[in-house]
Amino acid sequence: MRIPRLFGPGALKHVSLLFTFSIPFAYASNITYNITELPVPSLDLSQLGRVALTGNFDSISLFDYKGQSENSVNTNGSQTLFTQLPDGDFVPLAASDAAIRAMCPFYLQSGDLYGVIVGGNFTSLGGVQAQGIALFNISNSAVVRLPGLNGSVNALLCDQDTNSVYVGGDFKGSTSTNAIAWLGVQGWADMPFQGFNAPVNAITKAPNGNVIWGGQFTGLGNMSTPVVEDEQIINLSTANISATASTATAGFSDPQNIVCKTNGTDGPSNTWLLQDKTPGSWSAAFNFGFEPTKIRIWNTHQDGRGTKTWRFSNNPNSILRFTFNDPDNNNQNSTCDQTCPLSSNPSVEFQDFNFVNTVGMDGFTINISDWYGDGGGLDGVELFENDIFTYAISDLNEPSCGTTSTRAGATSSGPWSVTPSGQSVAQYLTADLNGPGVNSNSASVTFLPDIKQAGNYTVTVYTPGCQQDGSCGQRGQANITGIFTATQAASPKQSTIFQTNDFDKYDQIYTGSVDASTDSFRPSIILSPLDDQNSSITLTALRVRFELLDPSSMGLNGLYEYDPSNLTAQTDFKTSKIDSIGITLDQGADVRSLASINETTFVGGNFSSQNASNILSIGATNETVTLPGGGLNGAVAAMTFFGNILYVGGNFSNTNTTDTPGLQNVAQFDAGTNTWSGLGNGVDGPITSIVQLSVNVTQGVPEQCITINGQFTQVLGTDSHPAFSVSGLAVWVPGRNAWLKDLGVQTQAISGQLTFAINMTDSTPLMSGTVSSQGFALSDSAELSAVSGVLSLTSSGLIVQPDPSTSNFQKRADDANTANSTGVVTGLIDTTGGRNLTIFGGHFVAQGSNNANISNLAIVNDANNQVTGLSSGIDTNSTFLSLSTNGDILYAGGVVTGNANGTPINGLVVWNMAKSAFNDTLPPALKGTTVSVNAINTQPNTANLYVAGIFDSADQLSCASVCVFTGGQWSRPGQNPPGGNVTAMLWQGGSTLLVVGSNLTVNNQQTSIATYNADPTSQIWSIPSGANNIPGPITALSPASSDNSAYWIAGQDKNGNPFLMHYSNGNFQAAPALGPNSYTRGLSVLSLSQQHASNDFIDPSLTLLVTGNLNLPGVGNCSGVLFDGTNYTGFLLSNEGSQPGSLSQVITEQSQSFNTSASQLAVGFVVLIALAIALGIIFLLIALGLLIERRRRRAEGYRPAPQNYFEKTANMGRIPPERLFGNLSTPTAPRV
């Protein structure tokens, strides 16, 4: 158990105003983050034509930098420090367990950067226990504790001129409350005014060098003590009471006798006695910690006995000092420690001893060293404190034997159990609540404090840390309902807190008036789970505290000016014009934001005066400057300057006295022209923070933008731009005076929320929040291209819009065990007959041509950028899971229902692309309890259309899960199709069909893979050899050879673990598996321009792209990874809102070639080699022909002609013509 104490022993050494720490910390001189750019995959997509990706995402990016992942945005109240990569993505640096509310870079007077001071209501940062504040080293991402504060930090001001960091919030430190300073490298220092009596929300440096503090405070200094002190009784009745050297006399030996005994009556069961003439002790051990202020002791007079001297020690054995009025010495004020006296005078009912120092403890011992008569003893003991705590465990509250009728207590309802205190101050209650449907009725604890004195209080709820009980993964949000005055009963105060803190924390939930407890009214606080938490959560309840504000220090009203050069506190508030401005505001001002530019300081919050409402400015001479329209008509929560423009966010709708359109919760004020204007028409909910961010508005060109963060769901439309949905974050582009979404450019997708950002010289920006950016804002589809080795993602031409019916469909699709329930699930590229179409199917709503909405199947004509869909008739809650074309006919299957051309549709629809209409002849509907067509494939060189998925029959024909449509009717493939759920299929050659899935049955054997011989003489189903080695259902299938005889399969085993296998030459070979919970939706073999090392799985010139919801060890969530046969490499990341997205399929214009040549030559070289080979073949043919002709002539008796030359006239004579031609008319050949 942790004892309640502001500072641990030796934690601080107070020197004058300073208490210092020894902090091992190197100056951040080399400002670098460990950002490593990853090598670009050497994909060669040239043979595939166009390549598109489908899935369920609203942003997608390449995996370019180490540290990227799809890790979801935190929604449990925790936030992260992160930096921004050159491509706009974010890299987390250190996670906190709660909100980060302020940051500032701390430059010393020497110019050295000491580090970044980070403040918030966290209890840990970067895994380091840190209560509300820490130092972050941007050189190595180290987090350094700054111990000494107990509470939360709301505002920081790093002031190089004074070598100080001014800290404001809701905390205690040293002798200060809510305000303190860190000096240079030395440590904490109390402010001269010792802080404020209520929280600080904002700090800024005025043009004159003074520091302006803004908040809810009404005065300086610490909290007050009650008018009547020591009124809270510490419960001894539930403590573990023990004693040493007790008497053996019956009725007097039990040390419990003196608990809850306040009448001073001696006797059996009323008195505890020691053995005769023997020293002894009486001890109490508690299940909670406390800080006592007074002990009251009743001495015994039984048989002349009594205690003469005693001492008090807390555990472990530290003797404490007291002040008291000595009744035996005229009630003179005295002190004691080792030997505190008790009177033996029977007229002295009891004696009070006040603790000199406030010390935390969870037990104590009274050691009796001397006695009256025969021995010592006591009649009663009571312990008091000033702290007004109420515990969830009622036994830890004031004892039932007390005299008050309004004692502190608690009641509970729900499945609560007691949890050991661990590192907390006390035992606490824990409730494990099963979702979905957790709400405020699931469990509750009602705290009933004992308020003795009415007044202004701060009320705090304590939450135990989750690490000590192992519940961090199950913690959620709690709703706090408070009734503090009798008039609030009809409208209780509501607030929400996160319980995800690693270590104990407290949250201030209320500052204001609290009525005293009476028999007719009791202040109360109800802790319950926040409504609409769909997951199971663990709720905890520890204690609440009421702390009285000091009425004597009043006089301020939300603003205070501090002069750092003045070592004494300024208490004459009217001498400061800034203090006076606060005083002129209506009582109860709450200053939430301060911003300065040139010689003007702007003040924003929840306040009003005669001339200003919620925002005002203070000029160069500290005079109030009323803004146009008298300010705003609602509270201001955040302000930031960008150039000369002040961006203001909060909960307002217009200026206070005039009508300025477009100021719905966010506005911009031009400090140069003194005018208001809107950001479009604003947003539909309150703003909590405004943060600058660099965004690649034009691809590759960053532009400084303004992020608007808060509790809104829509950016309101204007005459020129329609409204659009968001999730609490919208980006305004000042240079374009427009919302980023309305620019119509391909840009980053950003989700989550930003709370703070700082820029430093020679450094990338440092930001905080829950923001996530995963590249380009492309929804559910994207095109992938590779040009000169550079990979890029661009729009596919499909613009998918949010679909409100998604939640209804999700349940249905999951029941069908389909691959994806929302988004674009499948697609194909059709170039038949000169067409250039990309067809997408799934469950989505897309923007068609002429702004028409298209549901679930969209045809993008890339020739004219027209986007069309099917005619009416298909139910909008359908989803398309498979597509196939044959000429002008498009076959589309899935969980599809409706009616087309008077024909019921169930599972499959046929669309004529030439006519842009449903085909004249439609297949009869499939039937079954669940109908889902997951795969469509035409048998090669036939008109037989094979359809597979989940169904029982086609029309009246029984054909479970696989059926053939040909000649306008259904037929059954074989006698006993496999049934179950077929997820994919492919043809091996012209007659063998391979199907995969789950719960398939062939020859009474269950399997996840089967083959069908479609030869008319066979028509037999069988199971491939080795199929028994497949560990579970198959979710994805891809060819691995040109004839599909080799292939890849992936799925999950019976325990949900992923597997990947390669089949070749009759063997299934298991590849290395991805991380747990990976779900593979698609497999695609791609070519490489650079080979990888040889292995048994895949050719060195190829790689396997695995898509789905994947867990890559060492990286985290990915949507696409590349497998080279040995290692997985992150490739594609996607997100859907604040959660990881998923990829379904890769669709290509051309099929993948499976050439396995050792190397690939350029096309020119290939042509030259082919020409050379052709010429060589021609030469060989000619030579062969000549040789054959020569042999033929030799066989026919041809001889070479004589080679000797004779005299030209030798053996020559003239032949008369009639002799030469005279025989031509004869039937025989002429002779010569």
Side-chain angles (χ1 to χ4, degrees), residues 361-669:
M361 62 189 72
D362 62 355
F364 68 90
T365 298
I366 297 173
N367 294 281
I368 298 174
S369 55
D370 200 1
W371 48 88
Y372 298 104
D374 290 334
L378 297 172
D379 272 354
V381 174
E382 269 193 332
L383 205 61
F384 299 85
E385 64 181 343
N386 284 331
D387 294 330
I388 307 174
F389 284 113
T390 306
Y391 292 86
I393 299 176
S394 194
D395 286 347
L396 305 184
N397 293 308
E398 291 180 306
S400 58
C401 58
T403 58
T404 177
S405 62
T406 58
R407 70 182 187 91
T411 60
S412 62
S413 65
W416 296 99
S417 61
V418 176
T419 301
S421 59
Q423 296 302 310
S424 296
V425 297
Q427 294 177 329
Y428 54 93
L429 295 181
T430 297
D432 294 321
L433 306 176
N434 296 322
V438 174
N439 57 52
S440 59
N441 295 321
S442 301
S444 67
V445 172
T446 301
F447 299 88
L448 299 169
D450 184 9
I451 305 298
K452 304 291 188 182
Q453 172 186 342
N456 288 322
Y457 288 77
T458 61
V459 182
T460 305
V461 173
Y462 287 72
T463 303
C466 63
Q467 285 193 358
Q468 62 188 3
D469 60 18
S471 64
C472 293
Q474 291 76 45
R475 292 285 187 95
Q477 292 178 263
N479 186 66
I480 310 297
T481 303
I483 300 176
F484 304 105
T485 66
T487 59
Q488 291 177 354
S491 56
K493 302 295 182 181
Q494 300 282 346
S495 60
T496 301
I497 63 171
F498 284 93
Q499 294 197 328
T500 54
N501 44 293
D502 291 339
F503 306 97
D504 284 14
K505 71 158 184 172
Y506 64 78
D507 293 281
Q508 181 184 302
I509 61 166
Y510 176 75
T511 298
S513 179
V514 177
D515 288 347
S517 300
T518 65
D519 292 338
S520 60
F521 173 77
R522 295 289 302 274
S524 64
I525 293 176
I526 301 174
L527 183 149
S528 61
L530 186 67
D531 289 338
D532 301 324
Q533 295 184 82
N534 290 325
S535 60
S536 299
I537 68 165
T538 296
L539 190 70
T540 62
L542 175 55
R543 65 178 182 174
V544 298
R545 180 178 186 175
F546 285 69
E547 204 162 11
L548 182 64
L549 299 179
D550 185 358
S552 66
S553 67
M554 301 296 184
L556 295 175
N557 192 23
L559 282 174
Y560 180 68
E561 181 182 19
Y562 166 65
D563 183 356
S565 64
N566 192 345
L567 297 181
T568 60
Q570 173 59 261
T571 57
D572 186 0
F573 305 136
K574 293 182 179 180
T575 62
S576 166
K577 290 186 177 181
I578 290 179
D579 296 354
S580 298
I581 290 172
I583 295 171
T584 62
L585 300 176
D586 293 343
Q587 196 62 35
D590 180 6
V591 175
R592 301 177 182 177
S593 184
L594 297 168
S596 296
I597 184 174
N598 299 325
E599 295 185 342
T600 303
T601 298
F602 287 81
V603 181
N606 186 10
F607 54 80
S608 60
S609 69
Q610 184 175 357
N611 299 317
S613 178
N614 301 308
I615 186 170
L616 57 84
S617 66
I618 303 173
T621 58
N622 287 346
E623 78 283 3
T624 302
V625 179
T626 303
L627 301 185
L632 297 167
N633 65 357
V636 170
M639 300 187 299
T640 190
F641 268 104
F642 182 76
N644 209 39
I645 304 298
L646 178 67
Y647 289 88
V648 182
N651 190 8
F652 49 82
S653 60
N654 211 325
T655 55
N656 193 44
T657 59
T658 60
D659 184 19
T660 304
L663 306 188
Q664 195 71 37
N665 299 307
V666 63
Q668 51 185 336
F669 180 77

Side-chain angles (χ1 to χ4, degrees), residues 1 74 96 138 174 194 303 321 453 512 718 911 958 1046 1091:
M1 179 188 301
N74 293 325
S96 73
I138 62 175
S174 184
Q194 292 190 307
D303 301 328
R321 190 173 182 82
Q453 172 186 342
T718 64
W911 180 258
S958 173
Q1091 296 185 1

Side-chain angles (χ1 to χ4, degrees), residues 1038-1053:
S1038 173
S1041 63
S1042 56
D1043 61 357
N1044 296 346
S1045 61
Y1047 49 85
W1048 290 94
I1049 57 172
Q1052 289 183 324
D1053 65 17

